[in-house]
């Protein structure tokens, strides 16, 4: 998870979580292998559990500035970029409709139950050893 003691010390007290949902906390860095740390969890975790540390890092976005030299057209009015709706209105086009995005009625078939008519009849007709055991326990083997 970490590659140096400095990185671990930066995230001391951070919340960690396993894939199985057990929550924990980074306690302190260990001196032995670089990047090793002590952590406490709510429950015992397994050796196969993957531990996640959710963290966010601020990223500096480079600023880009391009001055617009002339915003005016020949008739001294400014016109910006047109939207898709304005372009469609000018050309007389309609909004394209995707057939797979339309709502459709759901047609469900009725389920047919395929079970024995009478459990007592099944118990009497079945002669297996397993059925005798289930008959003693009060369960039916054909449901």
């Amino acid at each position: 998870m970490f590659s140096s003691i400095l990185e671990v010390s930066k995230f001391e007290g951070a919340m960690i979580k396993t894939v199985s949902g057990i929550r924990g906390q980074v306690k302190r860095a260990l001196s032995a292998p670089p990047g090793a740390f002590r952590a406490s969890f709510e429950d015992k975790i397994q050796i196969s559990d993957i531990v996640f540390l959710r963290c966010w890092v601020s990223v500096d976005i480079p600023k880009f500035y391009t001055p617009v030299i002339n915003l005016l057209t020949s008739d001294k009015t400014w016109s910006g970029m047109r939207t898709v709706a304005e372009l469609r209105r000018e050309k007389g086009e309609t909004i394209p409709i995707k057939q797979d995005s339309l709502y459709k009625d759901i047609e469900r078939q009725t389920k047919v139950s395929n079970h024995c008519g009478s459990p007592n009849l099944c118990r009497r007709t079945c002669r297996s050893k397993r059925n005798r055991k289930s008959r003693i326990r009060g369960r039916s083997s054909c449901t």
Side-chain angles (χ1 to χ4, degrees):
M1 186 175 284
F2 301 110
S3 59
S4 69
I5 297 172
L6 183 67
E7 286 181 1
V8 177
S9 63
K10 194 174 184 181
F11 288 99
E12 278 183 6
M15 298 302 294
I16 52 180
K17 192 174 185 182
T18 64
V19 175
S20 56
I22 302 170
R23 294 175 295 195
Q25 185 179 17
V26 176
K27 291 295 182 183
R28 64 181 179 85
L30 297 176
S31 59
F37 63 95
R38 289 185 59 126
S40 64
F41 289 92
E42 292 177 338
D43 197 10
K44 189 173 183 180
I45 65 169
Q46 300 196 354
I47 205 161
S48 61
D49 276 342
I50 299 171
V51 178
F52 283 102
L53 168 68
R54 295 182 189 159
C55 60
W56 288 266
V57 178
S58 60
V59 178
D60 294 330
I61 300 170
K63 296 188 178 189
F64 181 72
Y65 174 72
T66 306
V68 179
I69 299 168
N70 188 6
L71 295 176
L72 301 175
T73 56
S74 60
D75 59 346
K76 303 291 185 201
T77 58
W78 181 76
S79 62
M81 186 179 268
R82 292 179 289 178
T83 63
V84 175
E86 290 172 347
L87 290 171
R88 281 199 184 119
R89 251 185 259 118
E90 288 175 7
K91 292 182 179 181
E93 294 178 356
T94 59
I95 299 171
I97 299 171
K98 296 181 182 176
Q99 292 298 322
D100 60 343
S101 298
L102 297 175
Y103 288 103
K104 299 172 191 156
D105 292 333
I106 300 171
E107 297 175 8
R108 291 194 173 100
Q109 298 176 352
T110 56
K111 291 187 177 181
V112 179
S113 178
N114 191 13
H115 60 80
C116 295
S118 171
N120 292 330
L121 179 65
C122 288
R123 279 192 213 126
R124 275 185 261 134
T125 57
C126 297
R127 302 260 184 229
S128 68
K129 198 176 204 181
R130 179 176 163 221
N131 189 27
R132 278 186 240 130
K133 287 181 183 176
S134 65
R135 194 175 338 143
I136 293 167
R137 293 183 191 137
R139 288 186 263 158
S140 174
S141 63
C142 58
T143 52

